[in-house]
Amino acid sequence: MALAEQAKRVAAEFEFDADGVNKAVKEFMREMDEGLQREGTELSQIPTYVTAVPNGTEKGLYMSVDLGGTNFRVCSVRLHGNTTFSLTQSKVAIPRELMVAKTSKELFSFLAKQIEAFLKTHHEDHYAGHLRRRQTGDAIKEEEIFSLGFTFSFPVNQVGINKGMLMRWTKGFDIPDAVGKDVCALLQAEIDALHLPVRVAALVNDTVGTLMARSYQSPGKTGTLLGAIFGTGTNGAYVEKLNKVAKLIKNKDAGAYDKSTGEMVVNTEWGSFDNSLRTLPNTSYDIELDAKSVNPGIQMFEKRVSGMFLGEILRLALVTLLEDPNVPLFRDENSGTNDIHSTTQIHEGSPLFRQWGIDTSFLSICASDNSPGYKQIRQTLDRDYMISAVSAEDAEAVKEIAGAIAKRAARLSAVAIAAIVIDSGRLEKTPGAAATTEKKADVNPPRGDVESSGRGDVAEEDVIDIGADGSLVEFYPNFEDYIREALREIPEIGEAGEKRVRIGIAKDGSGVGAALIALVAGRVVDDAA
Ligand code: BGC
């Protein structure tokens, strides 16, 4: 069989048709409901204790930190009270060895040191004043202490606005002694060890931060329904009716929360949707990836959707092809020239033969390169993957398979979005009554935000607003188009419903979102006092 046909055969293994999408939507909705009833379900449906979205008038200087997956970010955010803000931030890559450190102390003390460095650089006065008062024994003023929103993007069993126990690590992190511990307390202990003027005021999942930030900034009067991340990992948090969060209402040990809004943001932890594979597609590559991961059997949806995994799925598919002597992939006879210098060669040490060796950004490169001969794909294979003198046929085969993997990921993403949109009941709202959440009138989206909705003929009050962030939605060329195509294939949504869905890319929204939650958390404390 010619290489092109072999590639088509592998690509076809990643097809996820309309029937598959619709079955998965039904299962997602079933698991949403189940997760609201009790603990220990596939969709964790974690109550976040966040009961309102911001109204744009919030003011003040707050801090936030974000431990997400690849990077650790420290931000200070000045909210101007008119829906705008200014943000100062620093970002460091998390050293790989800390992701699998022996003790959680190693990771958390590293985080506290980054906060210290940030304060010294960007808030020198604040920091020095605090230090002086400590040394002279003068009273520390409460208003000098920064309230910090801690974005911690892993599943946490939240029991209060700034308290939550780590349920499990994801995205390649594995520090067993942290599981079951309150991650806010772990961070506060290291902050205190450095005598920093910082109080961890709120614990925030990145999806919740994205939802809050998007709602602060989004155009129109309709509150945002969903904050979604399609990055290293994937997850979503949405606004749920409080009376449906049965397990919280029943829980005698639940922390305090404001009941007056009748709503609560729920963190679905959809990365673990359908771990038992009732409806998720499953290829031999998915099976192999899972078996060799640090958490076999869990985050099964995430392992098919998010950036941490898509490159690895491609790698496994390519290696399987290479192992077949009948498949002419990366073979001389394909190089299309008789020049001996252009013999295709996979060099020793090529990342192709190393677990996680292919980065998901390569899938974006494959999708964007439509040049004759696929120059960019071939160059990247040469430069980053040590596979030299690749033929156009080889590049085309790689492109075909990579495209199919990404398309499946986008169609799976549509499953989660669709289930939440349908479940919210917002599709049934008559024109003019779509908003369930009070929202400010004046808005001013910050520069750099991109947004798209279905077409422009949708009345503002009928828009179903979604905030999204993460490298896949941001950089993969057709990700949103594929999502929209799948949404139209779901009868409850169809063409009309798909047009009402507006997806706004809230880049780095979680930094602002966490600061907003720290502010709201402070207000709850102030109000109670
Ligand atoms: C985590 C979520 C997080 C998502 C996106 C997942 O692996 O479990 O808590 O929101 O990644 O960062």
Side-chain angles (χ1 to χ4, degrees), residues 28-29 31-33 35-36 43 45-48 50 53 207-208 211 224-228 235-241 244-245 263-270 416-417 419-421 423-424 426 437 465-466:
F28 199 105
M29 292 176 74
E31 290 189 23
M32 278 175 81
D33 190 52
L36 291 173
L43 274 188
Q45 296 283 72
I46 302 167
T48 63
V50 175
V53 294
T207 55
V208 183
L211 171 62
T224 303
L225 170 66
L226 167 67
N235 187 18
Y238 71 104
V239 181
E240 182 55 283
K241 288 167 208 74
K244 281 178 71 185
V245 193
E263 292 178 338
M264 183 172 282
V265 175
V266 171
N267 168 13
T268 63
E269 282 299 332
W270 73 37
I417 293 173
I420 289 171
V421 166
D423 187 82
S424 73
R426 291 192 191 195
T437 308
D465 193 61
I466 294 175

mmCIF file of all heavy atoms in Angstrom, residues 28-29 31-33 35-36 43 45-48 50 53 207-208 211 224-228 235-241 244-245 263-270 416-417 419-421 423-424 426 437 465-466:
data_model
loop_
_atom_site.group_PDB
_atom_site.id
_atom_site.type_symbol
_atom_site.label_atom_id
_atom_site.label_comp_id
_atom_site.label_asym_id
_atom_site.label_seq_id
_atom_site.Cartn_x
_atom_site.Cartn_y
_atom_site.Cartn_z
ATOM 1 N N PHE A 28 -22.138 12.733 28.852
ATOM 2 C CA PHE A 28 -21.587 13.870 29.598
ATOM 3 C C PHE A 28 -22.668 14.472 30.502
ATOM 4 O O PHE A 28 -22.435 14.762 31.673
ATOM 5 C CB PHE A 28 -21.030 14.923 28.621
ATOM 6 C CG PHE A 28 -20.058 15.892 29.235
ATOM 7 C CD1 PHE A 28 -18.691 15.793 28.985
ATOM 8 C CD2 PHE A 28 -20.492 16.909 30.079
ATOM 9 C CE1 PHE A 28 -17.782 16.689 29.555
ATOM 10 C CE2 PHE A 28 -19.601 17.804 30.652
ATOM 11 C CZ PHE A 28 -18.252 17.693 30.385
ATOM 12 N N MET A 29 -23.865 14.611 29.935
ATOM 13 C CA MET A 29 -24.953 15.207 30.723
ATOM 14 C C MET A 29 -25.343 14.299 31.887
ATOM 15 O O MET A 29 -25.632 14.759 32.984
ATOM 16 C CB MET A 29 -26.152 15.513 29.828
ATOM 17 C CG MET A 29 -25.829 16.644 28.854
ATOM 18 S SD MET A 29 -27.135 16.984 27.682
ATOM 19 C CE MET A 29 -28.324 17.809 28.736
ATOM 20 N N GLU A 31 -23.291 12.263 33.416
ATOM 21 C CA GLU A 31 -22.219 12.353 34.427
ATOM 22 C C GLU A 31 -22.239 13.707 35.154
ATOM 23 O O GLU A 31 -21.857 13.793 36.315
ATOM 24 C CB GLU A 31 -20.852 12.111 33.771
ATOM 25 C CG GLU A 31 -20.672 10.661 33.343
ATOM 26 C CD GLU A 31 -19.252 10.341 32.885
ATOM 27 O OE1 GLU A 31 -18.306 11.046 33.280
ATOM 28 O OE2 GLU A 31 -19.095 9.365 32.126
ATOM 29 N N MET A 32 -22.683 14.755 34.464
ATOM 30 C CA MET A 32 -22.799 16.064 35.135
ATOM 31 C C MET A 32 -23.768 15.957 36.307
ATOM 32 O O MET A 32 -23.507 16.403 37.420
ATOM 33 C CB MET A 32 -23.354 17.129 34.165
ATOM 34 C CG MET A 32 -22.349 17.745 33.242
ATOM 35 S SD MET A 32 -23.164 18.868 32.065
ATOM 36 C CE MET A 32 -23.328 20.340 33.089
ATOM 37 N N ASP A 33 -24.901 15.330 35.992
ATOM 38 C CA ASP A 33 -25.935 15.218 37.005
ATOM 39 C C ASP A 33 -25.471 14.330 38.162
ATOM 40 O O ASP A 33 -25.607 14.676 39.335
ATOM 41 C CB ASP A 33 -27.193 14.651 36.336
ATOM 42 C CG ASP A 33 -28.359 14.736 37.270
ATOM 43 O OD1 ASP A 33 -28.597 15.840 37.783
ATOM 44 O OD2 ASP A 33 -28.995 13.693 37.533
ATOM 45 N N GLY A 35 -22.473 13.745 39.131
ATOM 46 C CA GLY A 35 -21.425 14.414 39.904
ATOM 47 C C GLY A 35 -21.967 15.463 40.872
ATOM 48 O O GLY A 35 -21.314 15.784 41.872
ATOM 49 N N LEU A 36 -23.136 16.003 40.561
ATOM 50 C CA LEU A 36 -23.719 16.993 41.479
ATOM 51 C C LEU A 36 -24.359 16.317 42.693
ATOM 52 O O LEU A 36 -24.580 16.945 43.723
ATOM 53 C CB LEU A 36 -24.786 17.830 40.752
ATOM 54 C CG LEU A 36 -24.267 18.784 39.676
ATOM 55 C CD1 LEU A 36 -25.423 19.425 38.917
ATOM 56 C CD2 LEU A 36 -23.361 19.868 40.270
ATOM 57 N N LEU A 43 -17.053 12.637 36.555
ATOM 58 C CA LEU A 43 -16.965 14.103 36.526
ATOM 59 C C LEU A 43 -17.059 14.555 37.976
ATOM 60 O O LEU A 43 -18.078 14.310 38.636
ATOM 61 C CB LEU A 43 -18.139 14.716 35.752
ATOM 62 C CG LEU A 43 -18.040 14.857 34.240
ATOM 63 C CD1 LEU A 43 -19.219 15.665 33.711
ATOM 64 C CD2 LEU A 43 -16.740 15.500 33.796
ATOM 65 N N GLN A 45 -17.364 17.521 39.360
ATOM 66 C CA GLN A 45 -18.367 18.568 39.637
ATOM 67 C C GLN A 45 -18.118 19.227 41.001
ATOM 68 O O GLN A 45 -18.943 19.148 41.914
ATOM 69 C CB GLN A 45 -19.780 17.962 39.577
ATOM 70 C CG GLN A 45 -20.182 17.442 38.200
ATOM 71 C CD GLN A 45 -20.561 18.567 37.252
ATOM 72 O OE1 GLN A 45 -19.697 19.304 36.806
ATOM 73 N NE2 GLN A 45 -21.826 18.727 36.954
ATOM 74 N N ILE A 46 -16.963 19.896 41.116
ATOM 75 C CA ILE A 46 -16.542 20.436 42.405
ATOM 76 C C ILE A 46 -17.179 21.815 42.651
ATOM 77 O O ILE A 46 -16.999 22.729 41.847
ATOM 78 C CB ILE A 46 -15.005 20.574 42.434
ATOM 79 C CG1 ILE A 46 -14.349 19.210 42.180
ATOM 80 C CG2 ILE A 46 -14.528 21.187 43.749
ATOM 81 C CD1 ILE A 46 -12.863 19.286 41.870
ATOM 82 N N PRO A 47 -17.915 21.960 43.755
ATOM 83 C CA PRO A 47 -18.440 23.289 44.082
ATOM 84 C C PRO A 47 -17.263 24.204 44.414
ATOM 85 O O PRO A 47 -16.358 23.816 45.166
ATOM 86 C CB PRO A 47 -19.297 23.042 45.337
ATOM 87 C CG PRO A 47 -19.494 21.557 45.408
ATOM 88 C CD PRO A 47 -18.305 20.937 44.740
ATOM 89 N N THR A 48 -17.245 25.415 43.875
ATOM 90 C CA THR A 48 -16.057 26.271 44.033
ATOM 91 C C THR A 48 -16.221 27.334 45.112
ATOM 92 O O THR A 48 -15.288 28.094 45.369
ATOM 93 C CB THR A 48 -15.756 27.011 42.720
ATOM 94 O OG1 THR A 48 -16.874 27.854 42.438
ATOM 95 C CG2 THR A 48 -15.515 26.055 41.583
ATOM 96 N N VAL A 50 -17.626 29.972 44.719
ATOM 97 C CA VAL A 50 -17.768 31.256 44.026
ATOM 98 C C VAL A 50 -19.226 31.354 43.599
ATOM 99 O O VAL A 50 -19.710 30.517 42.835
ATOM 100 C CB VAL A 50 -16.838 31.331 42.795
ATOM 101 C CG1 VAL A 50 -17.081 32.602 42.006
ATOM 102 C CG2 VAL A 50 -15.384 31.238 43.236
ATOM 103 N N VAL A 53 -20.537 36.360 39.637
ATOM 104 C CA VAL A 53 -19.506 36.827 38.716
ATOM 105 C C VAL A 53 -19.338 38.331 38.943
ATOM 106 O O VAL A 53 -20.245 38.991 39.421
ATOM 107 C CB VAL A 53 -19.860 36.498 37.244
ATOM 108 C CG1 VAL A 53 -19.866 35.006 37.015
ATOM 109 C CG2 VAL A 53 -21.182 37.113 36.842
ATOM 110 N N THR A 207 -9.902 27.334 35.232
ATOM 111 C CA THR A 207 -11.147 27.488 34.468
ATOM 112 C C THR A 207 -12.087 28.487 35.152
ATOM 113 O O THR A 207 -12.799 29.231 34.491
ATOM 114 C CB THR A 207 -11.873 26.138 34.341
ATOM 115 O OG1 THR A 207 -12.079 25.615 35.652
ATOM 116 C CG2 THR A 207 -11.056 25.154 33.537
ATOM 117 N N VAL A 208 -12.067 28.486 36.482
ATOM 118 C CA VAL A 208 -12.918 29.410 37.229
ATOM 119 C C VAL A 208 -12.396 30.839 37.032
ATOM 120 O O VAL A 208 -13.166 31.781 36.810
ATOM 121 C CB VAL A 208 -12.959 29.043 38.732
ATOM 122 C CG1 VAL A 208 -13.905 29.962 39.480
ATOM 123 C CG2 VAL A 208 -13.361 27.591 38.921
ATOM 124 N N LEU A 211 -13.394 32.005 33.637
ATOM 125 C CA LEU A 211 -14.820 32.360 33.647
ATOM 126 C C LEU A 211 -15.025 33.750 34.261
ATOM 127 O O LEU A 211 -15.758 34.589 33.724
ATOM 128 C CB LEU A 211 -15.598 31.296 34.435
ATOM 129 C CG LEU A 211 -17.063 31.557 34.759
ATOM 130 C CD1 LEU A 211 -17.902 31.698 33.500
ATOM 131 C CD2 LEU A 211 -17.635 30.411 35.594
ATOM 132 N N THR A 224 -21.189 35.343 31.544
ATOM 133 C CA THR A 224 -20.538 34.219 30.876
ATOM 134 C C THR A 224 -21.012 32.906 31.495
ATOM 135 O O THR A 224 -21.155 32.809 32.711
ATOM 136 C CB THR A 224 -19.014 34.388 31.003
ATOM 137 O OG1 THR A 224 -18.674 35.649 30.431
ATOM 138 C CG2 THR A 224 -18.251 33.286 30.310
ATOM 139 N N LEU A 225 -21.249 31.903 30.665
ATOM 140 C CA LEU A 225 -21.723 30.604 31.168
ATOM 141 C C LEU A 225 -20.571 29.694 31.557
ATOM 142 O O LEU A 225 -20.618 28.992 32.562
ATOM 143 C CB LEU A 225 -22.565 29.908 30.079
ATOM 144 C CG LEU A 225 -22.927 28.443 30.350
ATOM 145 C CD1 LEU A 225 -23.868 28.330 31.551
ATOM 146 C CD2 LEU A 225 -23.561 27.797 29.119
ATOM 147 N N LEU A 226 -19.514 29.705 30.746
ATOM 148 C CA LEU A 226 -18.494 28.655 30.876
ATOM 149 C C LEU A 226 -17.100 29.243 30.700
ATOM 150 O O LEU A 226 -16.885 30.076 29.820
ATOM 151 C CB LEU A 226 -18.777 27.604 29.773
ATOM 152 C CG LEU A 226 -17.726 26.553 29.460
ATOM 153 C CD1 LEU A 226 -17.555 25.600 30.635
ATOM 154 C CD2 LEU A 226 -18.129 25.755 28.212
ATOM 155 N N GLY A 227 -16.165 28.798 31.543
ATOM 156 C CA GLY A 227 -14.752 29.092 31.333
ATOM 157 C C GLY A 227 -14.083 27.777 30.978
ATOM 158 O O GLY A 227 -14.239 26.794 31.719
ATOM 159 N N ALA A 228 -13.375 27.733 29.868
ATOM 160 C CA ALA A 228 -12.818 26.445 29.409
ATOM 161 C C ALA A 228 -11.346 26.597 29.080
ATOM 162 O O ALA A 228 -10.920 27.618 28.555
ATOM 163 C CB ALA A 228 -13.581 25.966 28.179
ATOM 164 N N ASN A 235 -10.226 21.430 30.803
ATOM 165 C CA ASN A 235 -11.223 21.433 31.870
ATOM 166 C C ASN A 235 -12.184 22.590 31.641
ATOM 167 O O ASN A 235 -11.908 23.489 30.837
ATOM 168 C CB ASN A 235 -10.511 21.599 33.230
ATOM 169 C CG ASN A 235 -11.439 21.435 34.422
ATOM 170 O OD1 ASN A 235 -12.538 20.874 34.300
ATOM 171 N ND2 ASN A 235 -11.018 21.926 35.580
ATOM 172 N N GLY A 236 -13.314 22.555 32.360
ATOM 173 C CA GLY A 236 -14.276 23.647 32.259
ATOM 174 C C GLY A 236 -14.983 23.887 33.576
ATOM 175 O O GLY A 236 -15.167 22.954 34.374
ATOM 176 N N ALA A 237 -15.344 25.152 33.818
ATOM 177 C CA ALA A 237 -16.139 25.506 34.999
ATOM 178 C C ALA A 237 -17.321 26.336 34.516
ATOM 179 O O ALA A 237 -17.168 27.180 33.628
ATOM 180 C CB ALA A 237 -15.300 26.316 35.979
ATOM 181 N N TYR A 238 -18.502 26.088 35.075
ATOM 182 C CA TYR A 238 -19.700 26.773 34.567
ATOM 183 C C TYR A 238 -20.577 27.229 35.723
ATOM 184 O O TYR A 238 -20.409 26.800 36.867
ATOM 185 C CB TYR A 238 -20.471 25.834 33.626
ATOM 186 C CG TYR A 238 -21.148 24.686 34.354
ATOM 187 C CD1 TYR A 238 -22.523 24.694 34.578
ATOM 188 C CD2 TYR A 238 -20.408 23.608 34.849
ATOM 189 C CE1 TYR A 238 -23.147 23.662 35.255
ATOM 190 C CE2 TYR A 238 -21.029 22.578 35.527
ATOM 191 C CZ TYR A 238 -22.401 22.607 35.733
ATOM 192 O OH TYR A 238 -23.009 21.595 36.428
ATOM 193 N N VAL A 239 -21.526 28.100 35.386
ATOM 194 C CA VAL A 239 -22.437 28.645 36.394
ATOM 195 C C VAL A 239 -23.629 27.694 36.524
ATOM 196 O O VAL A 239 -24.343 27.446 35.554
ATOM 197 C CB VAL A 239 -22.924 30.048 35.964
ATOM 198 C CG1 VAL A 239 -23.862 30.631 37.016
ATOM 199 C CG2 VAL A 239 -21.744 30.972 35.720
ATOM 200 N N GLU A 240 -23.787 27.128 37.717
ATOM 201 C CA GLU A 240 -24.857 26.140 37.953
ATOM 202 C C GLU A 240 -25.870 26.735 38.930
ATOM 203 O O GLU A 240 -25.530 27.611 39.741
ATOM 204 C CB GLU A 240 -24.222 24.860 38.536
ATOM 205 C CG GLU A 240 -25.156 23.701 38.801
ATOM 206 C CD GLU A 240 -25.977 23.243 37.592
ATOM 207 O OE1 GLU A 240 -26.968 23.942 37.271
ATOM 208 O OE2 GLU A 240 -25.646 22.198 36.994
ATOM 209 N N LYS A 241 -27.103 26.261 38.823
ATOM 210 C CA LYS A 241 -28.101 26.703 39.810
ATOM 211 C C LYS A 241 -27.751 26.048 41.143
ATOM 212 O O LYS A 241 -27.528 24.829 41.204
ATOM 213 C CB LYS A 241 -29.497 26.283 39.363
ATOM 214 C CG LYS A 241 -29.962 27.108 38.182
ATOM 215 C CD LYS A 241 -31.193 26.498 37.540
ATOM 216 C CE LYS A 241 -31.238 26.866 36.073
ATOM 217 N NZ LYS A 241 -30.257 26.120 35.231
ATOM 218 N N LYS A 244 -29.252 22.832 42.402
ATOM 219 C CA LYS A 244 -28.905 21.556 41.753
ATOM 220 C C LYS A 244 -27.624 20.937 42.332
ATOM 221 O O LYS A 244 -27.300 19.788 42.052
ATOM 222 C CB LYS A 244 -28.751 21.763 40.242
ATOM 223 C CG LYS A 244 -30.123 21.814 39.539
ATOM 224 C CD LYS A 244 -29.991 22.075 38.061
ATOM 225 C CE LYS A 244 -29.428 20.915 37.273
ATOM 226 N NZ LYS A 244 -29.214 21.293 35.844
ATOM 227 N N VAL A 245 -26.892 21.735 43.147
ATOM 228 C CA VAL A 245 -25.624 21.215 43.683
ATOM 229 C C VAL A 245 -25.939 20.447 44.971
ATOM 230 O O VAL A 245 -25.577 20.847 46.085
ATOM 231 C CB VAL A 245 -24.612 22.359 43.922
ATOM 232 C CG1 VAL A 245 -23.209 21.798 44.158
ATOM 233 C CG2 VAL A 245 -24.564 23.323 42.736
ATOM 234 N N GLU A 263 -26.796 30.816 42.685
ATOM 235 C CA GLU A 263 -25.911 30.185 41.707
ATOM 236 C C GLU A 263 -24.581 29.819 42.357
ATOM 237 O O GLU A 263 -24.194 30.414 43.359
ATOM 238 C CB GLU A 263 -25.615 31.147 40.547
ATOM 239 C CG GLU A 263 -26.811 31.423 39.685
ATOM 240 C CD GLU A 263 -26.518 32.413 38.559
ATOM 241 O OE1 GLU A 263 -25.549 33.197 38.665
ATOM 242 O OE2 GLU A 263 -27.271 32.396 37.586
ATOM 243 N N MET A 264 -23.906 28.855 41.766
ATOM 244 C CA MET A 264 -22.530 28.598 42.172
ATOM 245 C C MET A 264 -21.738 28.117 40.954
ATOM 246 O O MET A 264 -22.270 27.380 40.120
ATOM 247 C CB MET A 264 -22.440 27.558 43.290
ATOM 248 C CG MET A 264 -20.988 27.357 43.736
ATOM 249 S SD MET A 264 -20.751 26.334 45.185
ATOM 250 C CE MET A 264 -21.169 27.443 46.516
ATOM 251 N N VAL A 265 -20.504 28.560 40.903
ATOM 252 C CA VAL A 265 -19.643 28.079 39.832
ATOM 253 C C VAL A 265 -19.191 26.658 40.198
ATOM 254 O O VAL A 265 -18.771 26.412 41.333
ATOM 255 C CB VAL A 265 -18.426 29.009 39.642
ATOM 256 C CG1 VAL A 265 -17.462 28.431 38.612
ATOM 257 C CG2 VAL A 265 -18.889 30.408 39.240
ATOM 258 N N VAL A 266 -19.326 25.744 39.244
ATOM 259 C CA VAL A 266 -18.936 24.353 39.467
ATOM 260 C C VAL A 266 -17.766 24.023 38.544
ATOM 261 O O VAL A 266 -17.811 24.301 37.342
ATOM 262 C CB VAL A 266 -20.137 23.411 39.186
ATOM 263 C CG1 VAL A 266 -19.696 21.953 39.186
ATOM 264 C CG2 VAL A 266 -21.241 23.631 40.220
ATOM 265 N N ASN A 267 -16.713 23.464 39.121
ATOM 266 C CA ASN A 267 -15.553 23.013 38.349
ATOM 267 C C ASN A 267 -15.795 21.553 37.962
ATOM 268 O O ASN A 267 -15.751 20.672 38.808
ATOM 269 C CB ASN A 267 -14.299 23.170 39.218
ATOM 270 C CG ASN A 267 -13.085 22.458 38.627
ATOM 271 O OD1 ASN A 267 -13.095 22.040 37.472
ATOM 272 N ND2 ASN A 267 -12.039 22.324 39.424
ATOM 273 N N THR A 268 -16.031 21.322 36.688
ATOM 274 C CA THR A 268 -16.417 19.955 36.277
ATOM 275 C C THR A 268 -15.290 18.939 36.399
ATOM 276 O O THR A 268 -15.532 17.775 36.606
ATOM 277 C CB THR A 268 -16.856 19.932 34.793
ATOM 278 O OG1 THR A 268 -15.735 20.298 33.982
ATOM 279 C CG2 THR A 268 -18.028 20.855 34.534
ATOM 280 N N GLU A 269 -14.026 19.391 36.217
ATOM 281 C CA GLU A 269 -12.889 18.469 36.047
ATOM 282 C C GLU A 269 -13.195 17.479 34.921
ATOM 283 O O GLU A 269 -13.053 16.259 35.072
ATOM 284 C CB GLU A 269 -12.550 17.744 37.357
ATOM 285 C CG GLU A 269 -11.782 18.594 38.344
ATOM 286 C CD GLU A 269 -10.410 19.082 37.854
ATOM 287 O OE1 GLU A 269 -9.795 18.403 37.015
ATOM 288 O OE2 GLU A 269 -9.973 20.166 38.304
ATOM 289 N N TRP A 270 -13.557 18.047 33.767
ATOM 290 C CA TRP A 270 -13.962 17.175 32.654
ATOM 291 C C TRP A 270 -12.802 16.380 32.049
ATOM 292 O O TRP A 270 -13.034 15.492 31.225
ATOM 293 C CB TRP A 270 -14.770 17.942 31.626
ATOM 294 C CG TRP A 270 -14.071 18.922 30.713
ATOM 295 C CD1 TRP A 270 -12.826 18.820 30.150
ATOM 296 C CD2 TRP A 270 -14.632 20.151 30.200
ATOM 297 N NE1 TRP A 270 -12.580 19.914 29.348
ATOM 298 C CE2 TRP A 270 -13.660 20.748 29.345
ATOM 299 C CE3 TRP A 270 -15.849 20.811 30.378
ATOM 300 C CZ2 TRP A 270 -13.865 21.961 28.685
ATOM 301 C CZ3 TRP A 270 -16.055 22.015 29.712
ATOM 302 C CH2 TRP A 270 -15.068 22.582 28.882
ATOM 303 N N ALA A 416 -18.089 18.444 25.382
ATOM 304 C CA ALA A 416 -18.164 19.063 26.715
ATOM 305 C C ALA A 416 -18.917 20.395 26.646
ATOM 306 O O ALA A 416 -19.798 20.681 27.469
ATOM 307 C CB ALA A 416 -16.752 19.265 27.260
ATOM 308 N N ILE A 417 -18.579 21.206 25.659
ATOM 309 C CA ILE A 417 -19.228 22.519 25.524
ATOM 310 C C ILE A 417 -20.725 22.335 25.295
ATOM 311 O O ILE A 417 -21.561 22.976 25.945
ATOM 312 C CB ILE A 417 -18.592 23.315 24.354
ATOM 313 C CG1 ILE A 417 -17.144 23.661 24.702
ATOM 314 C CG2 ILE A 417 -19.397 24.568 24.028
ATOM 315 C CD1 ILE A 417 -16.358 24.299 23.558
ATOM 316 N N ALA A 419 -22.720 19.807 26.000
ATOM 317 C CA ALA A 419 -23.458 19.268 27.149
ATOM 318 C C ALA A 419 -23.767 20.391 28.140
ATOM 319 O O ALA A 419 -24.885 20.487 28.666
ATOM 320 C CB ALA A 419 -22.640 18.164 27.814
ATOM 321 N N ILE A 420 -22.815 21.262 28.376
ATOM 322 C CA ILE A 420 -23.020 22.337 29.358
ATOM 323 C C ILE A 420 -23.999 23.383 28.812
ATOM 324 O O ILE A 420 -24.874 23.859 29.525
ATOM 325 C CB ILE A 420 -21.657 22.928 29.776
ATOM 326 C CG1 ILE A 420 -20.940 21.880 30.632
ATOM 327 C CG2 ILE A 420 -21.821 24.242 30.534
ATOM 328 C CD1 ILE A 420 -19.505 22.182 30.974
ATOM 329 N N VAL A 421 -23.880 23.687 27.541
ATOM 330 C CA VAL A 421 -24.816 24.655 26.934
ATOM 331 C C VAL A 421 -26.242 24.102 26.990
ATOM 332 O O VAL A 421 -27.182 24.800 27.394
ATOM 333 C CB VAL A 421 -24.389 24.972 25.479
ATOM 334 C CG1 VAL A 421 -25.501 25.672 24.720
ATOM 335 C CG2 VAL A 421 -23.122 25.816 25.476
ATOM 336 N N ASP A 423 -27.467 21.728 28.972
ATOM 337 C CA ASP A 423 -27.882 21.572 30.362
ATOM 338 C C ASP A 423 -28.271 22.903 31.009
ATOM 339 O O ASP A 423 -29.133 22.954 31.874
ATOM 340 C CB ASP A 423 -26.740 20.910 31.142
ATOM 341 C CG ASP A 423 -27.146 20.556 32.547
ATOM 342 O OD1 ASP A 423 -27.782 19.498 32.705
ATOM 343 O OD2 ASP A 423 -26.855 21.346 33.467
ATOM 344 N N SER A 424 -27.649 23.993 30.586
ATOM 345 C CA SER A 424 -27.904 25.300 31.214
ATOM 346 C C SER A 424 -29.316 25.800 30.949
ATOM 347 O O SER A 424 -29.805 26.698 31.641
ATOM 348 C CB SER A 424 -26.918 26.343 30.673
ATOM 349 O OG SER A 424 -27.268 26.698 29.342
ATOM 350 N N ARG A 426 -30.104 27.614 28.594
ATOM 351 C CA ARG A 426 -30.070 28.929 27.950
ATOM 352 C C ARG A 426 -30.538 28.880 26.496
ATOM 353 O O ARG A 426 -30.962 29.887 25.951
ATOM 354 C CB ARG A 426 -28.661 29.534 28.022
ATOM 355 C CG ARG A 426 -28.279 29.922 29.439
ATOM 356 C CD ARG A 426 -27.027 30.778 29.490
ATOM 357 N NE ARG A 426 -26.558 30.894 30.870
ATOM 358 C CZ ARG A 426 -25.670 31.775 31.297
ATOM 359 N NH1 ARG A 426 -25.135 32.628 30.443
ATOM 360 N NH2 ARG A 426 -25.300 31.809 32.565
ATOM 361 N N THR A 437 -27.558 35.739 34.786
ATOM 362 C CA THR A 437 -26.642 36.341 35.740
ATOM 363 C C THR A 437 -26.636 37.855 35.531
ATOM 364 O O THR A 437 -26.503 38.306 34.408
ATOM 365 C CB THR A 437 -25.227 35.806 35.508
ATOM 366 O OG1 THR A 437 -25.304 34.389 35.491
ATOM 367 C CG2 THR A 437 -24.285 36.259 36.588
ATOM 368 N N ASP A 465 -22.279 33.050 26.166
ATOM 369 C CA ASP A 465 -20.885 33.489 26.167
ATOM 370 C C ASP A 465 -19.977 32.463 26.852
ATOM 371 O O ASP A 465 -20.278 31.964 27.933
ATOM 372 C CB ASP A 465 -20.793 34.836 26.904
ATOM 373 C CG ASP A 465 -19.453 35.500 26.662
ATOM 374 O OD1 ASP A 465 -19.147 35.792 25.493
ATOM 375 O OD2 ASP A 465 -18.702 35.697 27.639
ATOM 376 N N ILE A 466 -18.865 32.186 26.197
ATOM 377 C CA ILE A 466 -17.888 31.221 26.721
ATOM 378 C C ILE A 466 -16.509 31.863 26.695
ATOM 379 O O ILE A 466 -16.126 32.467 25.689
ATOM 380 C CB ILE A 466 -17.893 29.950 25.843
ATOM 381 C CG1 ILE A 466 -19.248 29.239 25.989
ATOM 382 C CG2 ILE A 466 -16.748 29.010 26.207
ATOM 383 C CD1 ILE A 466 -19.404 28.039 25.087
#
